[in-house]
Amino acid sequence: GQGQEFYAVHRDKPFFDELVAFIASGSVVGMMIEGDDAIRRVREIMGATDYRKALPGTIRAEFAREITRNIVHGSDAAETAAKEIAFFFGT
């Protein structure tokens, strides 16, 4: 399905099935954010992937409770963003 396609880069990792199950468990809200240094700035707001290491006040520190259910996803590079934008928005 689409969850498997989106997380295909993690297909060989032990947490793959859990990631796919989570993304398919409810609605997904997609956003494209533009601006100076947008990727770094958005990732700063999101917090560390491991919510236990995320700074207080970040989305993951405040709302995540499991590493594979860390509440928010953000592209890590311009190339990844281009693929993910195409995936969600068909552009």
Side-chain angles (χ1 to χ4, degrees):
Q2 288 182 318
Q4 291 175 331
E5 183 183 345
F6 184 74
Y7 282 120
V9 67
H10 298 300
R11 186 173 306 280
D12 296 329
K13 296 180 181 157
F15 54 82
F16 175 74
D17 290 335
E18 200 170 343
L19 278 176
V20 171
F22 179 60
I23 199 170
S25 69
S27 299
V28 173
V29 175
M31 298 186 324
M32 286 187 285
I33 300 172
E34 292 181 299
D36 293 336
D37 207 14
I39 291 173
R40 184 196 60 77
R41 294 171 81 185
V42 168
R43 292 184 68 79
E44 187 175 288
I45 292 166
M46 291 180 350
T49 301
D50 182 342
Y51 70 95
R52 296 166 296 197
K53 297 177 182 174
L55 294 175
T58 61
I59 295 168
R60 289 177 176 151
E62 298 300 319
F63 300 106
R65 296 297 172 259
E66 296 178 40
I67 196 162
T68 54
R69 296 173 171 252
N70 65 16
I71 203 79
V72 65
H73 170 84
S75 304
D76 60 357
E79 298 79 20
T80 309
K83 290 177 188 173
E84 292 175 352
I85 289 167
F87 182 87
F88 283 107
F89 301 101
T91 59

